[in-house]
Amino acid sequence: MNGINADGRLTEEDVKLRFITPAIECKWDKHSQIRMEQTFTDGRVIVRGDIVTRGNKKKSDYILYYRSNLPLAVVEAKDNSHPVGAGMQQAVEYAEILDIPFAYSSNGSAFLEHDMKNGVEREFTMNDFPSPDELWARYVGGKRFTPEQERLVTEPYYFQHGDYAPRYYQRIAINRAIEAVACGQNRILLVMATGTGKTYTAFQIIHRLWKSGAKRKILFLADRNILVNQTMQQDFKPFKKVMTKVKGKILDSSYEIYLSLYQQLAGDDNEEPFREFQPNFFDLIVVDECHRGSAKEDSQWRKILEYFSEATQIGMTATPKETKEVSNISYFGEPIYTYSLKQGIDDGFLAPYKVIRIGLDKDLEGWRPPVGKVDVYGNEIEDREYNIKDYDKDLIIDDRTKTVAKRISDYLKKTNRYDKTIVFCVDIDHAERMRQALVNENSDLVAENPKYVMRITGDNDEGKAQLDNFIAEDSKYPVIVTTSKLMTTGVDCKTCKLIVLDNSINSMTEFKQIIGRGTRLKPDYGKEFFTIMDFRNACRLFADPEFDGEPIVIIDDDDDDRVPPEEEPTSPPDGGGFEPGEPFAPRVKYRVNDVDVTILNERVQYYDKDGKLTTESVTDYSKKNILGKYAALDDFLADWNADLRKQAIIDELKERGVLLDALRDVVGCRDIDDFDLICHIAFDKKPLTKAERAANVRKRDYLSKYEGLAQDVLSALLDKYSDNGIGDLEGLQILNIDPFRAFGALKKILNAFGGKEEYFKAVKSLHDQIYKSA
């Protein structure tokens, strides 16, 4: 390999084929260690109006692996008109995202290396690309692994034919956890957004540590029975022969993998089943959803963790609990890896959301009862102004419940009445009243199946029995469920498309968990985004820096973890944290049925490319983002006319959230060319239809400069443009379909123009004529 021959400019693909690939393949195994053109994201889901599309996937030219779970290098290529380091910034960006230690750039004449750990770069010849063993030795040397640590770190993940390999962020979480354990770290925290596969990640961590022999007795803790059952039946299924679920006080020490509810092991102060095990019985404890109380000094979970303090403990959560009372960062330490909701949405692994914020008159204006007014129970209502925080907690307005139920039902009637929907209410009483109101609004479907609307709350066995059916992808019913706290966490409903917020939410942890009920993508079910209908202004929390920011520890001395009762005074709160039999004060709740409630305003907000909610119209949003790329009309015209291939321009605008099909719906004309639509929206130019542009070309008698077959082909291309747009003029594929097949073979058509190059010149000239009137 002697570098570039004096044969002129080479394309990027030529450079890869002739120089970069051979330089790598002479030292790396092309079947097991080299991945070319590897995509590692799915492309952000972009929603505008009712139009849904995908952004571009992130893709690396080369990713080089020491083992299947241990990538070592990213290589980015450029054509030979660029300097050797032209691809380095992209390579470094990908190396940062993928947690890869070495990044390379090449134009075929040399390689430039960037060492991510040390921050230094060096250039070397094409013959000197390092081997896998050389790079691994440098990586291990930097980490200072012992041979035993290296053996653990290189333990492969579990994989069987038909399984999918971990996504890049799961691989990072797994590898960092394994490295932390290998280096003797005994308290480990992983933060991964809801819907990103925490349980699968936990399985891979456990399997590698168990298979290597580093950990033999392992405990997986969760706080919901459904979570334990789902885990055993799905992700942990390969452990079937060595796995058991702790039931009652029966503790069988012959198994190796144990799954249990915290409550099951913790018991009470008189009977604590976890003490049946010796304190050193478990080598590893994995705590699922560790934000729910495990870090609290007096919590049930903390007792278990402290008893088995000799074990390595890994906490996994979507929302680190950082309040004045609780911090699991204080217990587990700083997260060794965080994969946020924003990252998941940007990568296209999680569903974005559309928010409908609805303002009711009594919510926005408040309501004060007339002096001496009594409620439906004969109680005189306290004379004060009631607002959104009081409704359904201190004061029930029946018409408010009916108005909310009607708006939910109207939305589903306009979209799909069988879209799975969760309505979050203030308490159990509110959830029951909302269930009744929704039944009455949907009586036709309830008559077909009474399970169309159901209440699923902690006190109702019939409702809880239907939770699995609500979650099941192949189960039609229930469709709409009302709840208060029970379904805020741990319910893996991939098909949930509508989340309704009619409860006051002040906890960021609770808000994140509720939003997490909708973030799972399910394209084959028709779910590529979900809708949040907000009646209580809870979505203000989206603007809080804490929503997707770094967790911060805030601790004070207040140790009161009691939660004010939010349920009826005859029963403890649903999920509120009270022990059975613990006293709580009754609460008077007024109820009126003669106060009208109406919707004052609504606004629709979309998740934009920066992870923020935008309230702009589709038109205004698109104009802003087009102008962000093209400040003036001349800039756009120069780009449009410079290249025959227009799809690249359309794709780049799509990445900015500009969806032309959605704009066409707003403009109300489907026959507008992409060019005219962009000029009209961004630069206020009067649009022409494709048919009008084609007619203008014919009026100028442009085609008469060609004769015979060449003129017939260009005329047919103009007709194709009139029907389908400029995209049909790109490439040669169009010449293989009707009516062009009637003109003869491809070679004959090209010869009519004097060859392929002259054909493309003619098409470019036709293109210029189409847009000449601009």
Side-chain angles (χ1 to χ4, degrees):
M1 270 172 248
N2 297 317
I4 304 294
N5 295 322
D7 56 356
R9 177 175 173 176
L10 297 175
T11 67
E12 184 177 306
E13 291 304 312
D14 289 333
V15 167
K16 287 192 286 188
L17 179 64
R18 296 176 58 179
F19 301 106
I20 299 177
T21 301
I24 295 172
E25 284 186 352
C26 71
K27 296 180 182 177
W28 296 69
D29 184 84
K30 66 180 180 181
H31 300 294
S32 63
Q33 294 184 307
I34 302 173
R35 298 287 182 272
M36 296 181 63
E37 304 295 326
Q38 184 175 7
T39 59
F40 53 89
T41 71
D42 279 359
R44 180 170 64 98
V45 177
I46 304 168
V47 182
R48 286 293 174 270
D50 295 324
I51 304 298
V52 180
T53 190
R54 285 267 189 180
N56 293 330
K57 299 179 180 181
K58 285 189 170 68
K59 179 175 65 176
S60 177
D61 290 333
Y62 303 82
I63 298 179
L64 308 182
Y65 292 80
Y66 182 67
R67 298 282 189 271
S68 60
N69 58 323
L70 295 170
L72 282 179
V74 174
V75 183
E76 287 300 311
K78 292 296 179 183
D79 64 52
N80 68 343
S81 67
H82 288 84
V84 65
M88 183 52 77
Q89 290 188 155
Q90 186 176 49
V92 167
E93 177 189 348
Y94 288 171
E96 281 187 305
I97 294 170
L98 298 171
D99 204 26
I100 291 177
F102 301 100
Y104 296 90
S105 173
S106 178
N107 62 359
S109 64
F111 283 104
L112 182 66
E113 176 190 85
H114 185 99
D115 184 324
M116 299 295 291
K117 177 177 174 57
N118 298 314
V120 296
E121 295 189 353
R122 67 186 181 103
E123 186 174 323
F124 50 84
T125 70
M126 298 301 291
N127 291 321
D128 293 329
F129 193 83
S131 69
D133 289 338
E134 288 175 299
L135 282 189
W136 180 249
R138 289 170 60 187
Y139 176 73
V140 170
K143 294 285 187 175
R144 297 183 179 178
F145 288 149
T146 66
E148 181 61 26
Q149 290 172 329
E150 184 178 350
R151 187 183 68 81
L152 179 55
V153 167
T154 54
E155 179 70 34
Y157 53 70
Y158 177 86
F159 184 82
Q160 295 238 322
H161 182 70
D163 290 350
Y164 69 87
R167 290 172 173 164
Y168 83 86
Y169 62 86
Q170 293 169 335
R171 171 188 55 77
I172 295 171
I174 296 163
N175 287 352
R176 288 196 183 180
I178 299 297
E179 283 198 10
V181 173
C183 293
Q185 186 173 332
N186 283 324
R187 299 294 181 267
I188 297 166
L189 181 63
L190 290 170
V191 180
M192 297 172 65
T194 301
T196 57
K198 288 190 296 296
T199 309
Y200 170 77
T201 301
F203 162 74
Q204 290 288 2
I205 293 169
I206 292 170
H207 191 275
R208 285 175 65 178
L209 293 172
W210 172 75
K211 191 72 173 175
S212 69
K215 306 292 179 183
R216 301 308 306 175
K217 295 289 187 178
I218 298 164
L219 175 63
F220 180 85
L221 285 173
D223 73 339
R224 297 275 171 86
N225 202 46
I226 189 172
L227 289 176
V228 173
N229 292 338
Q230 280 179 350
T231 299
M232 294 184 72
Q233 295 163 9
Q234 298 172 14
D235 291 318
F236 279 39
K237 193 175 181 180
F239 287 137
K240 186 175 182 180
K241 293 181 180 179
V242 299
M243 173 175 61
T244 187
K245 178 182 177 182
V246 176
K247 297 178 181 178
K249 299 173 185 176
I250 302 172
L251 305 174
D252 188 340
S253 62
S254 65
Y255 288 92
E256 296 181 63
I257 311 293
Y258 296 78
L259 290 88
S260 177
L261 298 174
Y262 305 96
Q263 304 91 317
Q264 192 85 54
L265 276 185
D268 54 40
D269 290 335
N270 296 322
E271 294 184 358
E272 296 179 323
F274 64 85
R275 297 187 187 276
E276 294 295 317
F277 293 102
Q278 291 297 315
N280 62 353
F281 182 81
F282 291 112
D283 305 311
L284 172 67
I285 299 176
V286 177
V287 186
D288 185 51
E289 301 292 0
C290 67
H291 64 276
R292 291 205 289 274
S294 64
K296 185 63 179 161
E297 292 290 345
D298 59 356
S299 74
Q300 291 179 317
W301 304 12
R302 186 66 169 256
K303 289 190 297 186
I304 301 171
L305 297 178
E306 289 188 340
Y307 181 77
F308 297 112
S309 60
E310 294 181 32
T312 299
Q313 297 174 4
I314 301 176
M316 305 191 73
T317 182
T319 52
K321 195 164 188 177
E322 307 305 325
T323 70
K324 292 183 178 180
E325 295 86 23
V326 177
S327 171
N328 45 18
I329 286 180
S330 300
Y331 184 80
F332 288 103
E334 292 291 331
I336 61 170
Y337 183 60
T338 297
Y339 188 72
S340 68
L341 174 65
K342 181 179 183 299
Q343 288 172 289
I345 293 175
D346 287 347
D347 286 344
F349 297 130
L350 294 178
Y353 39 83
K354 178 170 71 173
V355 177
I356 304 174
R357 302 176 82 161
I358 299 171
L360 305 178
D361 59 345
K362 298 302 182 291
D363 293 0
L364 299 175
E365 299 168 356
W367 179 76
R368 184 173 182 175
V371 175
K373 182 175 178 61
V374 296
D375 71 354
V376 296
Y377 306 118
N379 300 311
E380 184 174 336
I381 303 173
E382 180 185 352
D383 181 18
R384 66 179 179 87
E385 185 167 297
Y386 293 84
N387 59 39
I388 196 169
K389 294 181 180 179
D390 298 308
Y391 300 141
D392 300 296
K393 181 179 179 182
D394 299 316
L395 173 69
I396 299 167
I397 302 178
D398 282 344
D399 198 53
R400 187 186 184 285
T401 308
K402 293 176 183 177
T403 300
V404 171
K406 183 177 187 306
R407 183 64 188 90
I408 296 168
S409 303
D410 288 346
Y411 176 83
L412 290 172
K413 288 171 184 176
K414 289 180 180 179
T415 52
N416 184 345
R417 296 185 74 184
Y418 286 95
D419 281 348
K420 293 292 180 79
T421 300
I422 304 176
V423 184
F424 287 96
C425 302
V426 168
D427 55 27
I428 288 176
D429 169 66
H430 184 207
E432 173 56 25
R433 288 184 288 101
M434 186 62 71
R435 183 197 67 80
Q436 295 172 24
L438 286 163
V439 164
N440 291 331
E441 286 293 334
N442 298 277
S443 57
D444 56 335
L445 295 186
V446 173
E448 293 178 12
N449 191 315
K451 292 185 175 66
Y452 178 78
V453 182
M454 293 203 73
R455 169 169 62 93
I456 300 180
T457 49
D459 70 324
N460 186 266
D461 291 338
E462 292 80 11
K464 286 193 291 185
Q466 291 298 316
L467 183 56
D468 285 351
N469 288 329
F470 181 73
I471 292 169
E473 296 170 20
D474 58 351
S475 178
K476 192 173 184 179
Y477 300 101
V479 176
I480 305 174
V481 299
T482 65
T483 190
S484 54
K485 301 282 187 184
L486 185 65
M487 298 180 69
T488 56
T489 58
V491 178
D492 187 7
C493 185
K494 296 179 181 177
T495 56
C496 179
K497 296 178 74 173
L498 176 62
I499 290 175
V500 180
L501 304 179
D502 196 25
N503 56 339
S504 296
I505 303 171
N506 295 309
S507 161
M508 182 61 75
T509 295
E510 182 182 2
F511 181 64
K512 284 185 177 183
Q513 287 295 315
I514 288 175
I515 298 307
R517 298 313 98 213
T519 55
R520 290 166 174 84
L521 278 166
K522 195 65 182 171
D524 54 338
Y525 181 81
K527 182 189 172 184
E528 294 181 292
F529 69 97
F530 68 104
T531 300
I532 302 165
M533 187 175 286
D534 182 10
F535 290 92
R536 302 265 181 165
N537 196 31
C539 288
R540 72 189 186 283
L541 294 172
F542 278 126
D544 193 313
E546 289 184 24
F547 178 71
D548 208 49
E550 292 299 317
I552 300 172
V553 181
I554 305 173
I555 301 292
D556 68 13
D557 295 329
D558 183 7
D559 200 41
D560 183 10
D561 198 32
R562 291 171 57 88
V563 179
E566 295 194 6
E567 304 296 348
E568 288 302 283
T570 55
S571 62
D574 174 24
F578 279 78
E579 298 293 331
E582 186 175 353
F584 55 93
R587 184 177 69 236
V588 174
K589 192 184 281 192
Y590 303 110
R591 183 170 183 174
V592 294
N593 60 6
D594 56 355
V595 175
D596 293 333
V597 175
T598 59
I599 295 175
L600 274 189
N601 59 59
E602 290 189 15
R603 55 177 169 151
V604 178
Q605 297 178 299
Y606 295 95
Y607 183 96
D608 73 7
K609 61 184 176 63
D610 298 317
K612 307 296 183 184
L613 285 173
T614 175
T615 56
E616 295 169 303
S617 68
V618 173
T619 302
D620 291 342
Y621 181 83
S622 300
K623 180 173 182 175
K624 182 184 76 175
N625 284 287
I626 294 170
L627 293 175
K629 171 65 177 174
Y630 302 107
L633 176 60
D634 287 344
D635 298 330
F636 171 66
L637 293 178
D639 216 356
W640 186 266
N641 292 322
D643 195 342
L644 188 61
R645 185 175 177 273
K646 308 306 173 194
Q647 193 58 45
I649 296 174
I650 305 305
D651 288 345
E652 184 168 353
L653 290 176
K654 182 176 71 174
E655 284 292 306
R656 292 172 170 265
V658 179
L659 304 187
L660 297 184
D661 284 342
L663 282 173
R664 281 194 181 84
D665 290 340
V666 173
V667 173
C669 182
R670 303 295 301 178
D671 296 327
I672 296 177
D673 180 273
D674 291 344
F675 171 87
D676 283 280
L677 189 58
I678 294 167
C679 289
H680 175 60
I681 294 296
F683 307 110
D684 300 319
K685 294 293 182 181
K686 180 182 177 181
L688 298 177
T689 66
K690 295 189 290 290
E692 288 172 333
R693 287 198 171 276
N696 287 341
V697 174
R698 296 187 188 280
K699 287 177 185 176
R700 289 194 291 271
D701 201 25
Y702 169 75
L703 297 179
S704 63
K705 64 182 291 188
Y706 297 92
E707 297 179 350
L709 180 57
Q711 187 181 97
D712 293 340
V713 169
L714 291 174
S715 180
L717 285 172
L718 196 56
D719 290 337
K720 283 290 184 182
Y721 161 79
S722 182
D723 293 336
N724 301 315
I726 198 67
D728 274 355
L729 275 64
E730 300 173 2
L732 297 174
Q733 295 88 341
I734 192 172
L735 301 180
N736 294 318
I737 63 174
D738 289 333
F740 301 98
R741 282 188 293 198
F743 298 146
L746 176 61
K747 185 175 181 179
K748 179 181 177 183
I749 294 175
L750 297 179
N751 286 340
F753 290 87
K756 185 166 76 170
E757 185 176 342
E758 293 302 315
Y759 167 78
F760 280 120
K761 286 182 180 179
V763 173
K764 176 66 170 63
S765 179
L766 178 63
H767 158 275
D768 294 341
Q769 285 294 316
I770 289 172
Y771 297 110
K772 188 174 182 179
S773 59

